[in-house]
Amino acid sequence: MTSSNDTKNEAGEGRRDFLYLTAGMFGAVGAGSVAWPFISSMNPGADARAMASTEVDLSPIEVGQSITAMWRGKPVFIRRRTAKEIEAAKEVDVTELRDPQTDADRVQKDEWLVMVGICTHLGCVPSGQKPTDQHGDFGGWFCPCHGSHYDTSGRIRKGPAPKNLFVPGYEFVSDTLIRIG
Ligand code: FES
């Protein structure tokens, strides 16, 4: 006959087993959850780094041609300027500009203009990447949304946009490769 003590002992041991088991499970989950944030805190860093910069091969771009690259979800206009465009950009009287910047402030090498292709008025993408596009009164880019004209250095010359097209941080990895961001 089983005494009430024996029943308590069996029940007590059963509870202990359950507690050990539960503790073991929590231990396992705990170990997993210690490792995970460490790993997951490293992965976004690598992803973010990859997304934060974009490399662009410039070698296929001929003089007078433009391409559009994507960087952080934004279009980046890269133009290999003609001698005439460079000259036009340099001879501007900077004191007359709404957002005064010399051409040298905006390029690392005269031939290459790199800038975010988003109008600084309300965010449209200006036209001027293709030869058949409208280039505005200053031979650069034209934003048809409200009529902003940008010159061959991407500076605002006419219309409502308050700022020049933004020049992102970038570097020449080689003569024909740039890394944006
Ligand atoms: S968004 Fe370009 S002129 Fe308004």
Side-chain angles (χ1 to χ4, degrees), residues 23-35:
M25 283 170 69
F26 278 126
V29 171
S33 64
V34 165

Side-chain angles (χ1 to χ4, degrees), residues 119 121-124 143 145-148 160:
C119 181
H121 180 224
L122 294 176
C124 290
C143 183
C145 294
H146 313 93
S148 286

